[in-house]
């Protein structure tokens, strides 16, 4: 049986942990040749080894343009093409608008927005040379609705939503078969979410593990949607924004 992504060459940024790691696993199961990139070398190496086959880990800071150029060159050098880019790496600052410093804002924008901007900018020529491709930008429900506790994060993710539509329209105007869509997860149980979720005390006095709030999704839930967007099954879909949030933004 062949997978829906057989032979497609895929880069997943921030693939050492959480949603990126879960997504890389799903895409590999669908037959993709996966390049995991991350700033976390130990976990990234482990994630690529766990996938096995020809999965590759590359150290990559998405906020750094030279790092993007070398990751894309190394991917094409190793696998001969680039079909899919999942712009997933991201960080968060827990602070509302009155308490966010300009330094915090710039740090979040550098990774979450500039990182996606640079990824799209440098992936397009490589995908064009491969005959087309699919870019999947991981935004957030915080890019769709106001989220007072995360002012900088919300701004960074809203920009990704608009940039996605711009990239989609640009590629269409250029006549490239390159699609670009944004995915907007709600709460997913990952190290990022656990780090910002306070421990709660249950009625019986027992401490409830961080991040285990009922209703959180799993990284693979996002991976399955990304798998569809990465595949040719979604060939008529570009410039779309897809909430995957257990109904969080339905009302
Ligand atoms: P995570 O578990 O913290 O994984 C993110 C990975 O990205 C980490 O390995 C992190 O490394 C890495 N990273 C951070 N800065 C980087 C950089 N400059 N260049 C390359 N890699 C970098 O987070 P996650 O929850 O899976 O989040 C993944 C994406 O989903 C993010 O864009 C996030 O905003 C988005 N999202 C998450 C949720 C959720 O509920 N989890 C909801 C909506 C959207 P370090 O750990 O070393 O920093």
């Amino acid at each position: 049986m062949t997978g829906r992504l057989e032979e497609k060459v895929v880069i997943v940024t921030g693939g050492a942990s959480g949603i990126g790691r879960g997504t890389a696993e799903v895409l590999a199961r669908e037959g993709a040749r996966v390049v995991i990139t991350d700033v976390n070398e130990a976990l990234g190496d482990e994630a690529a080894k766990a996938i096995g086959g020809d999965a590759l880990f590359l150290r990559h800071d998405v906020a750094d343009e030279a790092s993007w150029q070398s990751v894309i060159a190394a991917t094409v050098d190793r696998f001969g093409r680039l079909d899919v880019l999942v712009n997933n790496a991201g960080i968060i600052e827990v602070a509302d608008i009155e308490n966010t410093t300009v330094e915090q804002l710039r740090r979040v924008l550098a990774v979450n927005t500039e990182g996606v901007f640079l990824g799209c900018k440098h992936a397009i020529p490589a995908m064009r040379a491969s005959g087309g491709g699919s870019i999947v930008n991981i935004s957030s429900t915080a890019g769709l609705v106001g989220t007072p506790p995360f002012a900088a994060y919300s701004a960074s993710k809203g920009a990704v939503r608009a940039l996605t539509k711009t990239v989609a329209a640009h590629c269409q105007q250029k006549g490239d078969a390159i699609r670009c869509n944004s995915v907007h997860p709600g709460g997913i149980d990952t190290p990022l979410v656990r780090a910002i979720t306070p421990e709660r005390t249950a009625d019986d006095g027992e401490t409830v593990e961080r991040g285990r709030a009922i209703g959180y999704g799993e990284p693979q839930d996002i991976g399955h949607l990304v798998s569809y967007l990465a595949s040719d099954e979604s060939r008529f879909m570009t410039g779309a924004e897809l909430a995957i949030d257990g109904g969080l933004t339905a009302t």
Side-chain angles (χ1 to χ4, degrees):
M1 203 179 78
T2 55
R4 61 174 15 163
L5 300 175
E6 215 60 45
E7 296 307 319
K8 284 199 190 292
V9 176
V10 172
I11 295 174
V12 181
T13 71
S17 171
I19 291 174
R21 183 165 180 162
T23 296
E25 288 167 1
V26 171
L27 302 186
R29 277 203 300 275
E30 290 291 347
R33 314 182 86 180
V34 175
V35 178
I36 286 175
T37 80
D38 207 288
V39 286
N40 191 324
E41 293 185 46
L43 278 184
D45 222 27
E46 183 198 302
K49 286 201 176 94
I51 287 174
D54 52 13
L56 178 68
F57 169 71
L58 296 173
R59 198 203 179 271
H60 179 203
D61 177 357
V62 296
D64 181 62
E65 186 158 22
S67 185
W68 268 109
Q69 287 163 319
S70 68
V71 158
I72 289 180
T75 300
V76 173
D77 194 43
R78 172 72 173 263
F79 295 114
R81 54 190 295 115
L82 175 64
D83 300 297
V84 177
L85 169 64
V86 185
N87 276 315
N88 164 79
I91 59 172
I92 195 165
E93 290 281 352
V94 183
D96 65 27
I97 183 67
E98 295 182 69
N99 292 293
T100 300
T101 64
V102 172
E103 288 70 31
Q104 284 175 311
L105 173 69
R106 288 182 181 152
R107 196 160 48 238
V108 171
L109 290 175
V111 177
N112 295 6
T113 309
E114 280 184 44
V116 174
F117 170 89
L118 291 171
C120 294
K121 176 178 168 139
H122 291 289
I124 288 170
M127 288 181 174
R128 184 179 292 134
S130 307
S134 172
I135 300 172
V136 183
N137 292 332
I138 306 299
S139 175
S140 167
T141 50
L144 296 173
V145 297
T147 46
F150 317 118
Y153 181 77
S154 184
S156 74
K157 294 297 189 179
V160 167
R161 171 184 173 274
L163 178 64
T164 299
K165 295 178 195 301
T166 298
V167 169
H170 169 84
C171 292
Q172 216 161 35
Q173 283 170 9
K174 292 272 176 190
D176 293 318
I178 300 172
R179 300 179 294 104
C180 186
N181 295 286
S182 61
V183 169
H184 301 259
I188 304 295
D189 188 6
T190 68
L192 178 145
V193 159
R194 285 175 181 238
I196 61 168
T197 306
E199 275 181 341
R200 293 180 298 122
T201 306
D203 292 344
D204 62 5
E206 229 180 87
T207 300
V208 179
E209 201 186 334
R210 282 170 191 266
R212 298 300 296 187
I214 291 165
Y216 277 26
E218 300 290 332
Q220 286 78 7
D221 295 328
I222 307 304
H224 292 300
L225 176 56
V226 174
S227 169
Y228 167 68
L229 291 172
S231 79
D232 297 337
E233 291 166 34
S234 59
R235 65 186 184 179
F236 196 52
M237 184 175 278
T238 191
E241 55 189 72
L242 295 165
I244 173 161
D245 63 0
L248 188 70
T249 52
T251 55

